Amino acid sequence: MRPFKVIRPTNEKEAMEQVSKGNASYLAAGTDLLNRIKEHVASPDSVVDLKSLPGMNTIEVTDQGIWIGALVRLSAVSSHTDVLSRFPAVCETIIHAATPQIRNMATVGGNLCQKPRCWYLRHEGYSCVKNGGTGCWARDGENEFHGIFDNQICSATQPSNLAPVLVAHEAVIEIASKDGVRELTADQFFIGPSSDPLREVSLEEGEFVRRVMLPESTRAGSWAYEEAREKQSFDWAQASVTLLLDRGGRKGDHRVVLGAVSPAPLRRSDIEKKIDGSDDEIAEASGIAGAGATPLSENGYKIPMLKGLIGKAIRSARSRKEG
Amino acid sequence: MEQQDHSAMEHQQVFKKLSVNGEPHSVGFSVHHSLLEVLREQMQLTGTKHGCELGECGTCTVLIDGQPVLSCLELAVECEGREITTVEGMMIGNDLHPLQEAFADLGAAQCGYCTPGILMTAKALLEENPAPTRDEVVSALAGNLCRCTGYHKILEGIDWAAAKMRGDEDFRPPREAIYGDPLPGEEPSDA
Protein backbone atom coordinates (compact mmCIF):
# COMPACT_ATOMS: atom_id res chain seq x y z
CA MET A 1 0.00 0.00 0.00
CA ARG A 2 1.25 3.51 -0.81
CA PRO A 3 2.75 5.01 2.38
CA PHE A 4 0.92 7.71 4.28
CA LYS A 5 1.20 9.34 7.66
CA VAL A 6 -1.40 8.93 10.38
CA ILE A 7 -2.41 12.06 12.27
CA ARG A 8 -4.41 11.72 15.46
CA PRO A 9 -6.10 15.02 16.31
CA THR A 10 -7.36 15.61 19.83
CA ASN A 11 -10.21 17.95 18.95
CA GLU A 12 -12.41 18.84 15.99
CA LYS A 13 -10.67 22.13 15.22
CA GLU A 14 -7.32 20.37 15.00
CA ALA A 15 -8.82 17.67 12.77
CA MET A 16 -10.12 20.29 10.34
CA GLU A 17 -6.79 22.15 10.34
CA GLN A 18 -4.83 18.96 9.70
CA VAL A 19 -7.04 17.74 6.86
CA SER A 20 -6.74 21.07 5.06
CA LYS A 21 -2.93 20.85 5.07
CA GLY A 22 -1.83 19.39 1.77
CA ASN A 23 -3.05 16.08 0.48
CA ALA A 24 -4.93 14.57 3.42
CA SER A 25 -8.07 12.47 3.94
CA TYR A 26 -10.20 11.72 6.95
CA LEU A 27 -10.02 8.14 8.21
CA ALA A 28 -12.84 6.42 10.07
CA ALA A 29 -12.65 2.60 9.93
CA GLY A 30 -10.87 2.71 6.59
CA THR A 31 -12.85 -0.11 4.98
CA ASP A 32 -13.42 2.11 1.95
CA LEU A 33 -10.43 4.48 2.10
CA LEU A 34 -7.76 1.76 2.49
CA ASN A 35 -9.47 -0.17 -0.27
CA ARG A 36 -9.18 2.82 -2.61
CA ILE A 37 -5.56 3.45 -1.63
CA LYS A 38 -4.74 -0.18 -2.44
CA GLU A 39 -6.51 0.16 -5.78
CA HIS A 40 -4.46 3.30 -6.55
CA VAL A 41 -7.51 5.54 -6.86
CA ALA A 42 -6.83 7.47 -3.64
CA SER A 43 -3.35 8.60 -2.68
CA PRO A 44 -3.37 10.74 0.45
CA ASP A 45 0.00 11.71 1.94
CA SER A 46 -1.62 11.67 5.36
CA VAL A 47 -4.83 10.45 6.96
CA VAL A 48 -6.49 12.27 9.83
CA ASP A 49 -7.89 9.62 12.15
CA LEU A 50 -11.29 10.74 13.42
CA LYS A 51 -11.33 7.85 15.89
CA SER A 52 -9.02 9.82 18.15
CA LEU A 53 -11.77 12.42 18.69
CA PRO A 54 -13.87 11.98 21.82
CA GLY A 55 -17.62 11.52 21.92
CA MET A 56 -18.37 10.27 18.42
CA ASN A 57 -18.75 6.60 19.33
CA THR A 58 -21.94 6.67 21.38
CA ILE A 59 -25.65 6.09 20.83
CA GLU A 60 -27.83 8.50 22.79
CA VAL A 61 -31.51 7.72 23.26
CA THR A 62 -33.82 10.69 23.90
CA ASP A 63 -37.57 11.33 23.69
CA GLN A 64 -37.03 13.27 20.46
CA GLY A 65 -35.10 10.50 18.77
CA ILE A 66 -31.91 8.49 18.74
CA TRP A 67 -28.54 10.14 18.12
CA ILE A 68 -25.96 7.80 16.59
CA GLY A 69 -22.33 8.92 16.67
CA ALA A 70 -20.56 8.87 13.31
CA LEU A 71 -17.94 6.45 14.61
CA VAL A 72 -20.38 3.85 15.93
CA ARG A 73 -19.79 0.55 14.11
CA LEU A 74 -22.60 -0.72 11.91
CA SER A 75 -22.92 -3.94 13.95
CA ALA A 76 -23.31 -1.88 17.14
CA VAL A 77 -26.22 0.01 15.56
CA SER A 78 -28.03 -3.06 14.24
CA SER A 79 -27.81 -4.82 17.62
CA HIS A 80 -28.77 -1.80 19.74
CA THR A 81 -31.99 -2.57 21.62
CA ASP A 82 -33.56 0.88 21.22
CA VAL A 83 -32.66 1.26 17.55
CA LEU A 84 -34.09 -2.23 16.94
CA SER A 85 -37.36 -1.52 18.71
CA ARG A 86 -37.90 2.04 17.44
CA PHE A 87 -36.24 2.08 14.00
CA PRO A 88 -36.19 -1.57 12.89
CA ALA A 89 -35.89 -0.67 9.19
CA VAL A 90 -32.50 0.92 9.93
CA CYS A 91 -31.24 -2.35 11.45
CA GLU A 92 -32.63 -4.37 8.54
CA THR A 93 -30.77 -2.28 5.96
CA ILE A 94 -27.54 -2.66 7.94
CA ILE A 95 -27.69 -6.44 8.11
CA HIS A 96 -28.01 -6.45 4.32
CA ALA A 97 -24.79 -4.40 4.02
CA ALA A 98 -21.44 -6.05 3.29
CA THR A 99 -20.20 -8.94 5.46
CA PRO A 100 -20.26 -9.57 9.22
CA GLN A 101 -16.57 -8.67 9.42
CA ILE A 102 -17.05 -5.37 7.58
CA ARG A 103 -20.09 -4.53 9.74
CA ASN A 104 -17.91 -5.05 12.82
CA MET A 105 -15.44 -2.53 11.44
CA ALA A 106 -17.30 0.03 9.31
CA THR A 107 -18.70 3.16 10.92
CA VAL A 108 -21.98 4.97 10.29
CA GLY A 109 -20.20 8.13 9.11
CA GLY A 110 -17.90 6.16 6.83
CA ASN A 111 -20.83 4.26 5.38
CA LEU A 112 -22.53 7.53 4.42
CA CYS A 113 -19.37 9.03 2.93
CA GLN A 114 -18.03 6.03 0.98
CA LYS A 115 -17.31 6.57 -2.71
CA PRO A 116 -19.51 4.90 -5.34
CA ARG A 117 -18.68 1.40 -6.49
CA CYS A 118 -18.56 2.23 -10.20
CA TRP A 119 -15.88 -0.02 -11.68
CA TYR A 120 -14.59 2.77 -13.92
CA LEU A 121 -14.31 5.20 -11.01
CA ARG A 122 -12.43 2.53 -9.03
CA HIS A 123 -9.99 1.77 -11.81
CA GLU A 124 -6.84 3.88 -11.95
CA GLY A 125 -6.84 3.81 -15.74
CA TYR A 126 -10.08 5.74 -16.20
CA SER A 127 -10.67 9.45 -15.93
CA CYS A 128 -14.26 10.65 -15.77
CA VAL A 129 -16.47 13.49 -14.60
CA LYS A 130 -16.41 12.04 -11.10
CA ASN A 131 -12.64 12.25 -10.62
CA GLY A 132 -11.98 15.54 -12.32
CA GLY A 133 -12.09 14.47 -15.97
CA THR A 134 -14.99 14.50 -18.38
CA GLY A 135 -17.70 12.11 -19.48
CA CYS A 136 -19.01 8.83 -18.08
CA TRP A 137 -17.48 5.59 -19.33
CA ALA A 138 -20.37 3.50 -18.11
CA ARG A 139 -22.96 5.25 -20.26
CA ASP A 140 -21.61 3.59 -23.38
CA GLY A 141 -19.71 0.83 -21.62
CA GLU A 142 -20.38 -1.85 -19.03
CA ASN A 143 -23.32 -0.52 -17.05
CA GLU A 144 -25.15 -3.54 -15.67
CA PHE A 145 -24.97 -2.27 -12.09
CA HIS A 146 -25.29 1.45 -12.79
CA GLY A 147 -28.18 3.82 -12.28
CA ILE A 148 -31.39 4.09 -14.28
CA PHE A 149 -32.50 7.48 -12.91
CA ASP A 150 -30.63 10.80 -13.14
CA ASN A 151 -27.79 9.05 -14.98
CA GLN A 152 -26.95 11.57 -17.71
CA ILE A 153 -23.87 13.20 -16.15
CA CYS A 154 -22.62 10.21 -14.15
CA SER A 155 -24.37 6.87 -13.85
CA ALA A 156 -22.78 5.64 -10.61
CA THR A 157 -25.23 4.89 -7.81
CA GLN A 158 -25.13 5.85 -4.14
CA PRO A 159 -23.58 2.76 -2.50
CA SER A 160 -24.66 3.29 1.12
CA ASN A 161 -27.31 0.85 2.31
CA LEU A 162 -28.15 3.26 5.12
CA ALA A 163 -28.75 6.23 2.84
CA PRO A 164 -32.33 5.40 1.68
CA VAL A 165 -33.65 4.56 5.15
CA LEU A 166 -32.15 7.78 6.54
CA VAL A 167 -33.97 9.74 3.84
CA ALA A 168 -37.19 7.83 4.63
CA HIS A 169 -36.87 8.71 8.33
CA GLU A 170 -35.86 12.31 7.54
CA ALA A 171 -32.76 11.74 9.62
CA VAL A 172 -30.74 14.77 10.66
CA ILE A 173 -27.06 14.71 9.73
CA GLU A 174 -24.98 16.78 12.14
CA ILE A 175 -21.83 18.11 10.53
CA ALA A 176 -18.70 19.56 12.12
CA SER A 177 -17.68 22.60 10.10
CA LYS A 178 -15.27 25.49 10.47
CA ASP A 179 -18.08 27.74 11.69
CA GLY A 180 -19.30 25.25 14.28
CA VAL A 181 -21.94 22.59 13.90
CA ARG A 182 -24.49 22.61 11.11
CA GLU A 183 -27.35 20.24 10.34
CA LEU A 184 -28.81 18.90 7.13
CA THR A 185 -31.67 16.52 6.56
CA ALA A 186 -30.64 13.28 4.88
CA ASP A 187 -32.26 14.29 1.59
CA GLN A 188 -30.19 17.51 1.59
CA PHE A 189 -27.06 15.59 2.56
CA PHE A 190 -26.99 13.15 -0.37
CA ILE A 191 -26.52 14.95 -3.68
CA GLY A 192 -26.47 14.02 -7.34
CA PRO A 193 -23.90 14.92 -9.99
CA SER A 194 -25.83 17.96 -11.20
CA SER A 195 -24.99 19.66 -7.88
CA ASP A 196 -21.33 18.62 -7.99
CA PRO A 197 -20.07 15.55 -9.85
CA LEU A 198 -17.05 15.23 -7.55
CA ARG A 199 -19.10 14.74 -4.39
CA GLU A 200 -21.94 12.45 -3.33
CA VAL A 201 -22.64 14.23 -0.05
CA SER A 202 -22.84 17.94 0.79
CA LEU A 203 -19.75 18.13 2.93
CA GLU A 204 -17.61 21.19 2.28
CA GLU A 205 -13.82 21.18 2.46
CA GLY A 206 -12.70 20.05 5.92
CA GLU A 207 -16.15 19.08 7.17
CA PHE A 208 -17.07 15.69 8.60
CA VAL A 209 -20.18 13.97 9.95
CA ARG A 210 -20.42 14.07 13.77
CA ARG A 211 -23.65 12.16 14.34
CA VAL A 212 -26.97 11.20 12.84
CA MET A 213 -30.39 11.65 14.48
CA LEU A 214 -33.37 9.40 13.83
CA PRO A 215 -36.43 11.53 14.73
CA GLU A 216 -39.04 9.92 16.96
CA SER A 217 -41.75 11.69 14.93
CA THR A 218 -40.93 9.52 11.91
CA ARG A 219 -41.22 6.13 13.58
CA ALA A 220 -43.02 3.85 11.17
CA GLY A 221 -46.39 2.20 11.81
CA SER A 222 -45.06 -0.60 9.65
CA TRP A 223 -42.11 -0.96 7.34
CA ALA A 224 -40.24 -3.12 4.86
CA TYR A 225 -36.83 -3.20 3.26
CA GLU A 226 -36.43 -5.28 0.13
CA GLU A 227 -33.21 -5.62 -1.79
CA ALA A 228 -32.12 -7.61 -4.84
CA ARG A 229 -28.55 -8.63 -5.45
CA GLU A 230 -26.68 -11.18 -7.51
CA LYS A 231 -25.04 -13.09 -4.68
CA GLN A 232 -27.00 -13.88 -1.52
CA SER A 233 -24.07 -14.24 0.90
CA PHE A 234 -22.98 -10.63 0.42
CA ASP A 235 -23.15 -8.24 -2.45
CA TRP A 236 -24.00 -4.71 -3.42
CA ALA A 237 -27.69 -4.13 -4.00
CA GLN A 238 -28.80 -4.01 -7.62
CA ALA A 239 -31.95 -2.26 -6.45
CA SER A 240 -33.62 -1.70 -3.09
CA VAL A 241 -36.93 -0.40 -1.78
CA THR A 242 -37.35 1.12 1.67
CA LEU A 243 -41.00 1.51 2.67
CA LEU A 244 -42.27 3.20 5.83
CA LEU A 245 -46.03 3.22 6.42
CA ASP A 246 -48.00 5.65 8.59
CA ARG A 247 -45.00 7.42 10.07
CA GLY A 248 -45.47 8.93 13.52
CA GLY A 249 -48.93 7.35 13.71
CA ARG A 250 -50.12 9.63 10.88
CA LYS A 251 -52.32 7.61 8.56
CA GLY A 252 -51.18 7.90 4.96
CA ASP A 253 -47.79 9.43 5.84
CA HIS A 254 -45.77 6.91 3.88
CA ARG A 255 -42.26 7.01 2.46
CA VAL A 256 -40.94 5.05 -0.49
CA VAL A 257 -37.23 5.51 -1.15
CA LEU A 258 -35.40 3.61 -3.88
CA GLY A 259 -31.74 2.66 -3.51
CA ALA A 260 -28.98 1.58 -5.91
CA VAL A 261 -30.74 2.98 -8.96
CA SER A 262 -29.71 6.65 -8.82
CA PRO A 263 -26.83 8.84 -7.63
CA ALA A 264 -28.70 9.81 -4.46
CA PRO A 265 -31.48 7.91 -2.67
CA LEU A 266 -34.64 8.45 -4.69
CA ARG A 267 -37.81 9.33 -2.80
CA ARG A 268 -40.88 8.49 -4.89
CA SER A 269 -43.89 10.45 -3.66
CA ASP A 270 -45.83 9.34 -6.75
CA ILE A 271 -45.56 5.73 -5.55
CA GLU A 272 -46.33 6.75 -1.96
CA LYS A 273 -49.67 8.20 -3.11
CA LYS A 274 -50.66 4.89 -4.69
CA ILE A 275 -50.27 3.06 -1.38
CA ASP A 276 -53.79 3.73 -0.16
CA GLY A 277 -54.98 0.42 1.22
CA SER A 278 -57.07 -0.32 -1.85
CA ASP A 279 -57.21 -3.81 -3.34
CA ASP A 280 -55.09 -2.83 -6.30
CA GLU A 281 -52.51 -0.72 -4.45
CA ILE A 282 -49.68 -3.15 -5.28
CA ALA A 283 -50.44 -3.09 -9.01
CA GLU A 284 -50.88 0.68 -8.97
CA ALA A 285 -47.74 1.40 -6.96
CA SER A 286 -45.42 -1.04 -8.70
CA GLY A 287 -46.83 -0.15 -12.12
CA ILE A 288 -45.23 3.29 -12.07
CA ALA A 289 -41.83 2.16 -10.75
CA GLY A 290 -40.08 2.96 -14.02
CA ALA A 291 -41.59 6.44 -14.48
CA GLY A 292 -38.80 8.82 -15.43
CA ALA A 293 -36.21 6.08 -15.83
CA THR A 294 -33.56 6.32 -18.55
CA PRO A 295 -32.02 2.84 -18.52
CA LEU A 296 -28.68 2.21 -20.23
CA SER A 297 -27.78 -0.67 -22.55
CA GLU A 298 -27.42 -3.33 -19.83
CA ASN A 299 -29.50 -2.22 -16.85
CA GLY A 300 -33.08 -2.08 -18.10
CA TYR A 301 -33.75 -5.14 -15.93
CA LYS A 302 -33.77 -2.83 -12.91
CA ILE A 303 -37.27 -1.56 -13.82
CA PRO A 304 -39.06 -4.94 -13.53
CA MET A 305 -36.81 -5.66 -10.56
CA LEU A 306 -38.07 -2.51 -8.82
CA LYS A 307 -41.66 -3.44 -9.63
CA GLY A 308 -41.18 -6.79 -7.95
CA LEU A 309 -39.44 -5.26 -4.94
CA ILE A 310 -42.15 -2.62 -4.47
CA GLY A 311 -44.85 -5.30 -4.52
CA LYS A 312 -42.88 -7.43 -2.11
CA ALA A 313 -42.29 -4.46 0.22
CA ILE A 314 -45.98 -3.54 0.34
CA ARG A 315 -47.02 -7.13 1.04
CA SER A 316 -44.33 -7.46 3.68
CA ALA A 317 -45.21 -4.17 5.43
CA ARG A 318 -48.95 -4.93 5.36
CA SER A 319 -48.47 -8.42 6.80
CA ARG A 320 -46.10 -7.13 9.46
CA LYS A 321 -48.74 -4.63 10.55
CA GLU A 322 -51.48 -7.22 10.69
CA GLY A 323 -49.21 -9.83 12.24
CA MET B 1 -2.46 8.98 -14.49
CA GLU B 2 0.34 10.69 -12.64
CA GLN B 3 2.98 8.28 -11.36
CA GLN B 4 4.11 8.81 -7.78
CA ASP B 5 7.55 7.97 -6.50
CA HIS B 6 6.65 5.97 -3.41
CA SER B 7 10.23 5.20 -2.44
CA ALA B 8 11.00 8.87 -1.97
CA MET B 9 8.31 9.26 0.66
CA GLU B 10 9.47 9.00 4.21
CA HIS B 11 7.85 6.08 6.06
CA GLN B 12 6.46 7.09 9.43
CA GLN B 13 7.65 4.39 11.83
CA VAL B 14 5.96 3.55 15.11
CA PHE B 15 6.72 1.24 17.97
CA LYS B 16 3.62 -0.22 19.61
CA LYS B 17 2.63 -2.81 22.18
CA LEU B 18 0.19 -5.24 20.60
CA SER B 19 -1.56 -7.95 22.58
CA VAL B 20 -1.74 -11.03 20.35
CA ASN B 21 -3.08 -14.38 21.52
CA GLY B 22 -2.92 -13.26 25.12
CA GLU B 23 0.73 -12.18 25.03
CA PRO B 24 2.08 -8.63 24.84
CA HIS B 25 4.48 -7.95 21.96
CA SER B 26 6.51 -4.82 21.30
CA VAL B 27 6.56 -4.34 17.55
CA GLY B 28 8.00 -1.70 15.27
CA PHE B 29 6.33 -1.09 11.91
CA SER B 30 5.44 1.51 9.30
CA VAL B 31 2.33 3.39 10.26
CA HIS B 32 0.55 2.61 6.98
CA HIS B 33 0.92 -1.15 7.42
CA SER B 34 -2.16 -3.27 7.93
CA LEU B 35 -2.55 -5.59 10.89
CA LEU B 36 -2.24 -8.45 8.39
CA GLU B 37 1.16 -7.23 7.23
CA VAL B 38 2.42 -6.73 10.77
CA LEU B 39 1.18 -10.14 11.96
CA ARG B 40 2.79 -11.94 9.05
CA GLU B 41 5.92 -9.92 8.38
CA GLN B 42 6.93 -8.47 11.75
CA MET B 43 5.58 -11.16 14.04
CA GLN B 44 5.96 -14.22 11.76
CA LEU B 45 2.38 -15.26 12.51
CA THR B 46 1.75 -16.53 9.00
CA GLY B 47 -1.38 -18.53 9.85
CA THR B 48 -3.47 -15.50 8.88
CA LYS B 49 -3.60 -15.43 5.09
CA HIS B 50 -3.29 -12.72 2.47
CA GLY B 51 -6.26 -13.06 0.14
CA CYS B 52 -7.92 -10.35 -1.89
CA GLU B 53 -6.54 -7.56 0.34
CA LEU B 54 -9.74 -5.62 -0.40
CA GLY B 55 -12.13 -6.92 2.22
CA GLU B 56 -13.99 -9.31 -0.02
CA CYS B 57 -12.73 -12.83 0.76
CA GLY B 58 -12.46 -13.06 4.55
CA THR B 59 -9.34 -15.20 4.63
CA CYS B 60 -7.45 -12.60 6.70
CA THR B 61 -10.13 -12.68 9.45
CA VAL B 62 -8.80 -12.33 12.99
CA LEU B 63 -10.63 -11.52 16.20
CA ILE B 64 -10.24 -8.11 17.79
CA ASP B 65 -11.78 -8.00 21.25
CA GLY B 66 -13.59 -11.20 20.32
CA GLN B 67 -15.19 -9.91 17.12
CA PRO B 68 -14.25 -11.08 13.63
CA VAL B 69 -12.65 -8.32 11.57
CA LEU B 70 -10.54 -8.17 8.42
CA SER B 71 -6.87 -7.69 9.23
CA CYS B 72 -6.19 -6.49 5.67
CA LEU B 73 -8.32 -3.36 6.21
CA GLU B 74 -7.31 -2.65 9.81
CA LEU B 75 -4.25 -0.50 10.38
CA ALA B 76 -1.96 -2.14 12.95
CA VAL B 77 -1.41 1.24 14.58
CA GLU B 78 -5.09 1.26 15.56
CA CYS B 79 -4.83 -2.04 17.42
CA GLU B 80 -2.95 -0.94 20.50
CA GLY B 81 -4.90 -1.73 23.65
CA ARG B 82 -7.13 -4.26 21.91
CA GLU B 83 -6.91 -8.04 22.19
CA ILE B 84 -6.00 -9.69 18.91
CA THR B 85 -6.59 -13.42 18.38
CA THR B 86 -5.21 -15.29 15.39
CA VAL B 87 -5.45 -18.92 14.35
CA GLU B 88 -2.14 -19.54 16.17
CA GLY B 89 -3.97 -18.74 19.40
CA MET B 90 -6.75 -21.27 18.92
CA MET B 91 -5.18 -24.32 20.52
CA ILE B 92 -6.08 -24.90 24.13
CA GLY B 93 -2.78 -25.88 25.77
CA ASN B 94 -1.50 -28.76 23.68
CA ASP B 95 -4.93 -29.70 22.38
CA LEU B 96 -6.54 -28.63 19.17
CA HIS B 97 -9.58 -26.42 19.54
CA PRO B 98 -12.76 -28.48 18.94
CA LEU B 99 -13.25 -26.57 15.67
CA GLN B 100 -9.77 -27.52 14.46
CA GLU B 101 -10.37 -31.11 15.50
CA ALA B 102 -13.74 -31.29 13.74
CA PHE B 103 -12.35 -29.67 10.57
CA ALA B 104 -9.51 -32.21 10.49
CA ASP B 105 -11.78 -35.19 11.18
CA LEU B 106 -14.33 -34.18 8.54
CA GLY B 107 -11.86 -32.96 5.92
CA ALA B 108 -13.45 -29.54 6.04
CA ALA B 109 -10.46 -28.06 4.21
CA GLN B 110 -9.19 -28.72 0.73
CA CYS B 111 -6.56 -26.21 -0.27
CA GLY B 112 -6.83 -24.79 3.25
CA TYR B 113 -6.30 -21.17 2.35
CA CYS B 114 -9.66 -19.99 3.70
CA THR B 115 -9.47 -22.25 6.77
CA PRO B 116 -7.79 -19.89 9.29
CA GLY B 117 -10.31 -17.14 8.55
CA ILE B 118 -13.25 -19.52 8.74
CA LEU B 119 -11.99 -20.99 12.02
CA MET B 120 -11.76 -17.52 13.55
CA THR B 121 -15.24 -16.51 12.37
CA ALA B 122 -16.68 -19.79 13.65
CA LYS B 123 -14.90 -19.44 16.98
CA ALA B 124 -16.49 -16.02 17.53
CA LEU B 125 -19.89 -17.38 16.55
CA LEU B 126 -19.75 -20.36 18.93
CA GLU B 127 -18.54 -18.22 21.80
CA GLU B 128 -21.57 -16.01 21.39
CA ASN B 129 -24.07 -18.68 20.35
CA PRO B 130 -23.23 -22.25 21.48
CA ALA B 131 -26.08 -23.86 19.54
CA PRO B 132 -26.46 -21.96 16.27
CA THR B 133 -28.98 -23.08 13.68
CA ARG B 134 -27.69 -23.88 10.20
CA ASP B 135 -29.01 -20.51 8.99
CA GLU B 136 -27.16 -18.70 11.75
CA VAL B 137 -23.92 -20.48 10.82
CA VAL B 138 -24.40 -19.61 7.16
CA SER B 139 -25.09 -15.94 8.00
CA ALA B 140 -22.04 -15.75 10.26
CA LEU B 141 -19.86 -17.19 7.49
CA ALA B 142 -21.26 -14.91 4.77
CA GLY B 143 -17.99 -13.00 4.59
CA ASN B 144 -15.68 -16.01 4.25
CA LEU B 145 -15.26 -17.37 0.77
CA CYS B 146 -14.18 -20.96 0.09
CA ARG B 147 -13.63 -21.93 -3.54
CA CYS B 148 -12.94 -25.66 -2.92
CA THR B 149 -15.28 -27.36 -0.51
CA GLY B 150 -18.73 -26.19 -1.48
CA TYR B 151 -19.07 -25.33 2.24
CA HIS B 152 -20.95 -28.51 3.30
CA LYS B 153 -18.11 -30.02 5.28
CA ILE B 154 -17.30 -26.66 6.82
CA LEU B 155 -20.89 -26.29 8.03
CA GLU B 156 -20.92 -29.87 9.30
CA GLY B 157 -17.58 -29.30 11.03
CA ILE B 158 -18.95 -26.25 12.83
CA ASP B 159 -22.09 -28.18 13.88
CA TRP B 160 -19.96 -30.97 15.26
CA ALA B 161 -17.55 -28.66 17.06
CA ALA B 162 -20.51 -26.81 18.58
CA ALA B 163 -21.90 -30.13 19.86
CA LYS B 164 -18.53 -31.09 21.34
CA MET B 165 -18.21 -27.69 23.03
CA ARG B 166 -21.72 -28.03 24.48
CA GLY B 167 -20.87 -31.50 25.77
CA ASP B 168 -23.50 -33.09 23.51
CA GLU B 169 -21.94 -36.56 23.22
CA ASP B 170 -24.83 -38.03 21.24
CA PHE B 171 -24.28 -35.71 18.27
CA ARG B 172 -22.83 -37.41 15.21
CA PRO B 173 -22.07 -35.71 11.90
CA PRO B 174 -23.70 -37.34 8.85
CA ARG B 175 -21.79 -40.53 7.99
CA GLU B 176 -21.11 -39.34 4.46
CA ALA B 177 -19.37 -36.27 5.88
CA ILE B 178 -16.66 -38.28 7.58
CA TYR B 179 -13.36 -38.33 5.78
CA GLY B 180 -11.05 -41.36 5.86
CA ASP B 181 -11.04 -43.57 8.94
CA PRO B 182 -14.28 -44.03 10.85
CA LEU B 183 -14.83 -42.12 14.03
CA PRO B 184 -14.04 -43.96 17.26
CA GLY B 185 -16.79 -46.48 17.94
CA GLU B 186 -18.11 -46.43 14.38
CA GLU B 187 -18.09 -49.14 11.75
CA PRO B 188 -16.02 -48.54 8.61
CA SER B 189 -18.22 -47.67 5.65
CA ASP B 190 -18.31 -49.95 2.61
CA ALA B 191 -16.86 -47.21 0.49
Side-chain angles (χ1 to χ4, degrees):
Chain A
M1 188 159 46
R2 183 183 186 276
F4 50 79
K5 292 183 177 174
V6 177
I7 295 162
R8 305 190 129 215
T10 53
N11 59 62
E12 294 181 358
K13 188 165 171 280
E14 190 190 341
M16 285 184 252
E17 283 168 5
Q18 290 290 352
V19 88
S20 60
K21 282 184 191 165
N23 175 23
S25 294
Y26 282 127
L27 172 75
T31 54
D32 180 34
L33 179 62
L34 297 187
N35 209 314
R36 285 185 290 118
I37 294 173
K38 289 177 184 195
E39 292 192 292
H40 312 291
V41 291
S43 47
D45 292 329
S46 57
V47 298
V48 179
D49 187 0
L50 294 174
K51 292 192 294 303
S52 61
L53 299 179
M56 281 170 52
N57 191 18
T58 53
I59 296 180
E60 193 189 340
V61 181
T62 70
D63 291 342
Q64 286 72 45
I66 299 182
W67 286 96
I68 302 172
L71 295 180
V72 178
R73 312 278 173 173
L74 293 183
S75 59
V77 178
S78 62
S79 60
H80 191 277
T81 326
D82 294 286
V83 184
L84 258 172
S85 63
R86 288 157 67 172
F87 299 96
V90 172
C91 301
E92 184 73 12
T93 63
I94 289 176
I95 60 173
H96 281 80
T99 67
Q101 288 94 325
I102 300 262
R103 296 194 294 271
N104 285 338
M105 303 171 78
T107 65
V108 168
N111 181 273
L112 303 186
C113 298
Q114 63 185 306
K115 297 300 281 183
R117 302 282 151 176
C118 170
W119 41 39
Y120 295 104
L121 180 64
R122 284 182 181 255
H123 192 296
E124 59 179 323
Y126 289 90
S127 165
C128 70
V129 66
K130 204 136 195 64
N131 59 18
T134 54
C136 171
W137 288 92
R139 283 193 58 78
D140 296 315
E142 303 288 334
N143 50 43
E144 185 183 349
F145 301 111
H146 288 73
I148 56 171
F149 296 97
D150 189 12
N151 55 5
Q152 279 76 24
I153 300 171
C154 160
S155 54
T157 59
Q158 167 54 247
S160 164
N161 255 38
L162 265 176
V165 76
L166 295 190
V167 170
H169 274 299
E170 291 174 71
V172 177
I173 316 289
E174 188 184 86
I175 296 164
S177 79
K178 290 192 176 78
D179 305 320
V181 172
R182 68 185 183 107
E183 290 181 350
L184 292 177
T185 56
D187 75 319
Q188 295 168 323
F189 181 73
F190 298 103
I191 56 175
S194 53
S195 307
D196 179 355
L198 298 176
R199 294 182 299 167
E200 299 76 39
V201 293
S202 9
L203 289 178
E204 304 298 330
E205 192 76 31
E207 292 185 332
F208 58 87
V209 177
R210 296 178 88 223
R211 51 183 189 163
V212 173
M213 201 265 271
L214 299 167
E216 187 66 15
S217 60
T218 65
R219 272 179 68 175
S222 186
W223 60 277
Y225 175 72
E226 298 294 341
E227 165 181 314
R229 52 194 188 186
E230 281 208 317
K231 188 159 91 259
Q232 285 311 301
S233 55
F234 68 92
D235 211 340
W236 301 98
Q238 290 165 293
S240 76
V241 174
T242 302
L243 169 63
L244 304 183
L245 294 182
D246 303 324
R247 299 181 319 149
R250 300 178 293 274
K251 201 164 162 41
D253 183 1
H254 309 323
R255 280 292 185 281
V256 173
V257 183
L258 309 183
V261 289
S262 53
L266 189 62
R267 181 183 167 199
R268 290 290 298 272
S269 47
D270 55 340
I271 299 177
E272 290 162 11
K273 290 193 188 97
K274 301 285 183 190
I275 304 175
D276 54 7
S278 63
D279 289 345
D280 56 357
E281 64 172 356
I282 288 177
E284 292 275 323
S286 58
I288 56 171
T294 51
L296 305 171
S297 57
E298 297 175 350
N299 65 7
Y301 72 90
K302 288 195 177 190
I303 294 175
M305 184 176 262
L306 278 175
K307 290 183 178 177
L309 291 173
I310 290 167
K312 212 171 157 188
I314 296 172
R315 272 190 292 275
S316 163
R318 292 286 185 213
S319 66
R320 181 172 279 121
K321 200 173 191 178
E322 284 152 17
Chain B
M1 286 265 129
E2 187 188 349
Q3 289 296 310
Q4 302 262 358
D5 181 5
H6 297 179
S7 60
M9 185 160 171
E10 185 194 342
H11 288 211
Q12 184 187 359
Q13 295 287 321
V14 286
F15 202 71
K16 294 281 177 190
K17 271 208 173 75
L18 299 182
S19 177
V20 181
N21 299 327
E23 291 178 6
H25 296 263
S26 294
V27 201
F29 52 87
S30 294
V31 76
H32 69 284
H33 278 183
S34 67
L35 176 61
L36 174 65
E37 289 170 302
V38 172
L39 287 171
R40 290 181 58 89
E41 291 158 28
Q42 260 72 42
M43 304 180 70
Q44 284 74 51
L45 293 171
T46 53
T48 307
K49 301 302 180 204
H50 266 290
C52 68
E53 280 269 3
L54 297 171
E56 293 170 6
C57 75
T59 195
C60 69
T61 302
V62 299
L63 306 186
I64 296 189
D65 296 334
Q67 288 200 313
V69 298
L70 301 173
S71 59
C72 75
L73 292 181
E74 186 75 50
L75 291 178
V77 68
E78 315 247 291
C79 296
E80 200 175 32
R82 302 158 82 188
E83 181 55 40
I84 300 157
T85 311
T86 71
V87 71
E88 288 89 347
M90 270 193 97
M91 282 181 74
I92 301 162
N94 287 327
D95 295 323
L96 290 177
H97 187 281
L99 277 161
Q100 293 173 307
E101 203 173 59
F103 273 46
D105 285 344
L106 297 190
Q110 285 183 30
C111 86
Y113 207 75
C114 70
T115 311
I118 290 184
L119 286 170
M120 299 318 291
T121 305
K123 179 175 189 285
L125 170 70
L126 297 187
E127 279 168 11
E128 193 183 297
N129 180 357
T133 63
R134 178 54 65 89
D135 280 351
E136 286 168 337
V137 177
V138 168
S139 294
L141 286 186
N144 292 84
L145 297 186
C146 170
R147 302 289 81 168
C148 306
T149 64
Y151 299 100
H152 283 283
K153 292 198 172 190
I154 291 171
L155 300 174
E156 281 156 354
I158 294 171
D159 285 348
W160 196 21
K164 286 182 186 193
M165 290 165 73
R166 292 194 303 268
D168 178 356
E169 290 173 9
D170 297 332
F171 183 92
R172 281 285 176 276
R175 187 65 192 83
E176 67 276 12
I178 297 164
Y179 171 76
D181 295 334
L183 298 173
E186 294 214 338
E187 295 297 316
S189 73
D190 294 338

